[in-house]
Amino acid sequence: MLRFAVFLLLMSTLISPLLADPRADSFLSTGVRAKNIQMIEFASTQGAGVNTIDEIGCTSLIRASVKRHSPLGKILLERGAVVEALDAAGPMAVMWEALDGREGVMELLLAEGANPEMLDNNGVRAAGWARRDGHEVLRETMFALSAK
């Protein structure tokens, strides 16, 4: 019986780190995935870092851009999210917004300092991402902004 109790104790100490996410920002990541503004605001009051990279190499701002949730992106920018952070695959938030053709969020990111000339891992600018899905007006806007 004692051996079984010791075995259970050892197994629980080995397994519990795998099941639990000890990072302080896990609540923020969950909030972004769930598109839950209240969770994000609560996590930020608890000291969660908005620029922390999650398990697949994305910041919260990139995740919000991929999830197509503009209000989340605005809140994260207000909390100090870095606009030029790249995810593990290379694109940054401004590129995801260009791909979806969302001019309003794009302008907000550019106003916060996003560089339209920055390249992803394949050497493509945000304007190229806009062109990929046929957003020619946004592509022209990007070229005009990068010419300044």
Side-chain angles (χ1 to χ4, degrees), residues 25 28-29 32 47-54 57-62 76-77 79-86:
D25 64 333
L28 177 73
S29 295
V32 172
V50 294
N51 295 311
T52 303
I53 297 171
D54 68 10
C58 293
T59 64
S60 294
L61 182 61
I62 292 171
L76 292 167
L77 287 170
R79 303 280 192 275
V82 175
V83 294
E84 291 190 350
L86 296 172

Side-chain angles (χ1 to χ4, degrees), residues 18-138:
L18 299 174
L19 299 176
D21 188 359
R23 300 179 310 190
D25 64 333
S26 64
F27 202 63
L28 177 73
S29 295
T30 302
V32 172
R33 286 185 190 113
K35 300 180 182 179
N36 188 321
I37 293 173
Q38 290 80 14
M39 284 178 77
I40 292 168
E41 288 176 344
F42 177 75
S44 65
T45 63
Q46 300 301 309
V50 294
N51 295 311
T52 303
I53 297 171
D54 68 10
E55 67 278 358
I56 62 167
C58 293
T59 64
S60 294
L61 182 61
I62 292 171
R63 175 82 63 181
S65 294
V66 170
K67 291 273 190 184
R68 300 177 180 159
H69 201 280
S70 302
L72 286 181
K74 291 176 184 175
I75 289 171
L76 292 167
L77 287 170
E78 290 170 2
R79 303 280 192 275
V82 175
V83 294
E84 291 190 350
L86 296 172
D87 71 9
M92 59 184 187
V94 72
M95 294 171 183
W96 287 109
E97 299 296 342
L99 182 66
D100 287 332
R102 293 190 301 259
E103 291 183 52
V105 179
M106 174 71 70
E107 290 172 1
L108 179 65
L109 290 169
L110 294 171
E112 291 291 324
N115 181 359
E117 292 294 306
M118 197 163 177
L119 303 173
D120 67 7
N121 290 348
N122 295 320
V124 180
R125 292 181 177 83
W129 281 65
R131 183 182 61 215
R132 187 180 298 176
D133 266 15
H135 305 293
E136 289 300 319
V137 174
L138 184 58

Side-chain angles (χ1 to χ4, degrees), residues 2-31:
L2 181 60
R3 286 184 184 170
F4 185 67
V6 170
F7 173 75
L8 287 178
L9 179 65
L10 288 173
M11 290 306 291
S12 67
T13 58
L14 292 173
I15 293 173
S16 63
L18 299 174
L19 299 176
D21 188 359
R23 300 179 310 190
D25 64 333
S26 64
F27 202 63
L28 177 73
S29 295
T30 302

